[in-house]
Amino acid sequence: MANDRDIGDNVPPVPGPRPGPSSDGGLAAAAGPRVSLAAGRLSRALHSMALISQADGAALMLAGEASGLRAVGGSTAEGLKLQYAQQFERVGPAHDSVSDGQPVAVNDLESHEEAGYARLARSAAPVRAVLSVPVHVEGDVIGSLNFYRCTPYTWTSRQIAVGEHLAGTAADLLIRLAADSAAGGPGRP
Amino acid sequence: MMHIDTEALDASLQHLRKAPYETDLARALHRVVTSVNRVFGYDGAGIMLIDEEEDLLYVAASDEAGRSLEQAQARAGQGPCYDTYVVGHPVSTKDVRSDSRWPQLVDVLDERVRAVAGVPILLGGSPVGTLNVYRSEPYGWDDSDIAALRAYAGLIGELMAAALASHEHSVTASQLQYALDYRVVIERAIGYLMAKHGVDAVSAFNRLRKQARDSRRRVADLAGEILEESTS
């Protein structure tokens, strides 16, 4: 798994999920039941989005209160690692897509010339190509949906269009997950 | 295995729900249908949900020709979307107009609808409706078409489940709730009728619907009675 890879002595390890309720995988059950249900729905949705977009995976970053974009999840471990790398390096296509309000396609993180990308490439390895699409809700940018591949790749205009459509569906899903997490009762499995 | 940071997700959802964003399931489903249609270059797409008469009704459709699938299948009492819903698996046809499985469809279906593919939308493991697409020329659907449609149907299922869990109030949400509440009892009644009469699932489903219509009862109520009688 990507989290187990050696990413080099000169690169500080990117923080991953902390042990306890914040962690993924089998520890998700330690969170509240509604958050666990929301996590399950989001996870399955990201898997579907990866398949539809013909990428190796799909991952999500969402805006928090004041801390900027936070890594929320990926369809694979590599996807979550990519998001943590972007969160802690404070650079990457997810940030650019949110600030620009439009899709950002990076064919190879390693050869991208923008400042900070070389470091990001090492932190996010083995991910190489990333397509980041802003997630809009009623005009607000609430986060970034990322599609990724583990080899250099030229994203097509069709894939960018697919990504934009999927970001719209992600927005529709997220506002319902937010409403669900506020609703009373045990939730529907 | 999930790769979700639940603490970050929880914090983000709390942040998100501070803004009073509008939720309208029908509108969200219409956006998905538009996406499916544009992304894959089909001639039309739609989402159907089962109603109290066990008719499949559109809750979102990209165009009028595709919408004719609903009325045509309801009038003919057969069609690829019904088969998709009843058997719970993808059903496709290269040309619905020459497909011997649904001979009565030809006379009532819009001529622009030729190749049709449908995949079930599952909630809690059971079909509650279908995602269907069509082309205006005969077309051989391949595995990649069906895989992508299944993935979209999975996405739609998550959206629907989240809408129900958030207690969204709308006609579409109510229709969905009905489909979910009664699907299991109807599935069991279909299984009983298949065994009793030695027919396939689609024939058993049609038998159940006809009997309900003839006796002016809801299909779900009749299914419950049939199951009660079978155990008494």
Side-chain angles (χ1 to χ4, degrees):
Chain A
M1 285 202 333
N3 282 336
D4 301 326
R5 286 174 65 101
D6 178 3
I7 54 177
D9 293 334
N10 58 345
V11 179
V14 171
R18 292 179 291 279
S22 64
S23 302
D24 69 349
L27 295 174
R34 285 189 170 276
V35 180
S36 294
L37 283 174
R41 289 197 175 111
L42 179 61
S43 178
R44 289 187 292 274
L46 289 173
H47 277 282
S48 293
M49 290 177 184
L51 211 155
I52 292 164
S53 65
Q54 298 182 313
D56 289 345
L60 184 69
M61 296 187 84
L62 289 175
E65 284 287 351
S67 54
L69 288 178
R70 285 185 74 173
V72 166
S75 60
T76 68
E78 290 82 0
L80 184 59
K81 187 187 177 197
L82 166 70
Q83 307 302 62
Y84 280 127
Q86 293 193 85
Q87 177 181 333
F88 290 101
E89 301 291 353
R90 295 182 182 275
V91 70
H95 295 279
D96 295 342
S97 72
V98 167
S99 59
D100 295 351
Q102 56 188 4
V104 173
V106 176
N107 299 339
D108 188 358
L109 290 172
E110 282 188 20
S111 60
H112 198 71
E113 293 178 350
E114 210 165 310
Y117 269 67
R119 190 175 180 85
L120 174 65
R122 290 193 292 274
S123 301
V127 170
R128 296 287 294 269
V130 182
L131 168 64
S132 297
V133 185
V135 179
H136 295 273
V137 178
E138 295 178 16
D140 300 332
V141 180
I142 63 163
S144 177
L145 181 64
N146 293 194
F147 304 92
Y148 52 91
R149 282 183 175 243
C150 293
T151 52
Y153 181 76
T154 303
W155 300 98
T156 64
S157 56
R158 182 177 176 276
Q159 282 176 307
I160 294 170
V162 170
E164 288 183 292
H165 282 292
L166 290 175
T169 304
D172 282 324
L173 177 63
L174 286 165
I175 57 172
R176 283 166 179 81
L177 293 180
D180 178 21
S181 65
R188 182 181 287 276
Chain B
M1 181 178 176
M2 286 200 298
H3 305 283
I4 303 292
D5 184 327
T6 50
E7 186 186 24
L9 175 62
D10 192 24
S12 298
L13 293 180
Q14 284 185 40
H15 177 62
L16 195 55
R17 70 169 176 253
K18 287 179 182 169
Y21 295 120
E22 185 189 337
T23 55
D24 180 336
L25 183 58
R27 199 174 297 173
L29 294 178
H30 187 76
R31 279 194 287 267
V32 175
V33 159
T34 304
S35 295
V36 172
N37 199 29
R38 287 185 184 161
V39 162
F40 295 110
Y42 300 133
D43 291 306
I47 294 171
M48 292 183 181
L49 288 181
I50 209 74
D51 75 347
E52 294 188 9
E53 310 299 322
E54 289 295 292
D55 283 332
L56 281 169
L57 299 182
Y58 269 120
V59 292
S62 64
D63 64 296
E64 282 307 309
R67 197 172 275 278
S68 77
L69 259 175
E70 171 194 295
Q71 294 156 347
Q73 289 182 120
R75 283 172 64 186
Q78 58 181 223
C81 303
Y82 278 90
D83 285 12
T84 301
Y85 170 72
V86 175
V87 300
H89 297 295
V91 173
S92 64
T93 174
K94 185 175 181 179
D95 188 355
V96 71
R97 307 194 69 80
S98 60
D99 198 312
S100 61
R101 287 175 289 182
W102 312 292
Q104 293 168 43
L105 259 188
V106 180
D107 296 334
V108 288
L109 188 59
D110 191 300
E111 289 180 356
R112 288 169 288 182
V113 178
R114 301 296 294 267
V116 178
V119 292
I121 297 170
L122 305 175
L123 245 65
S126 291
V128 294
T130 65
L131 168 65
N132 44 274
V133 295
Y134 82 89
R135 285 182 180 271
S136 295
E137 298 293 333
Y139 175 75
W141 306 93
D142 63 25
D143 289 347
S144 67
D145 286 313
I146 300 302
L149 286 173
R150 287 184 96 138
Y152 251 114
L155 204 49
I156 292 165
E158 296 304 332
L159 191 57
M160 288 176 168
L164 285 182
S166 65
H167 306 295
E168 187 170 321
H169 298 291
S170 66
V171 172
T172 304
S174 300
Q175 191 178 340
L176 183 57
Q177 188 67 59
Y178 170 83
L180 187 61
D181 289 346
Y182 293 103
R183 177 61 197 179
V184 171
V185 68
I186 290 169
E187 270 181 323
R188 288 176 57 203
I190 288 172
Y192 172 76
L193 291 174
M194 286 170 69
K196 184 179 179 185
H197 299 290
V199 295
D200 63 17
V202 174
S203 301
F205 176 66
N206 288 336
R207 187 184 285 252
L208 185 65
R209 290 171 69 211
K210 183 176 185 310
Q211 198 177 332
R213 276 194 188 142
D214 290 348
S215 57
R216 300 190 176 199
R217 278 176 291 175
R218 292 195 319 170
V219 174
D221 294 337
L222 177 61
E225 289 170 24
I226 287 172
L227 289 175
E228 260 183 38
E229 285 171 14
S230 72
T231 55
S232 61

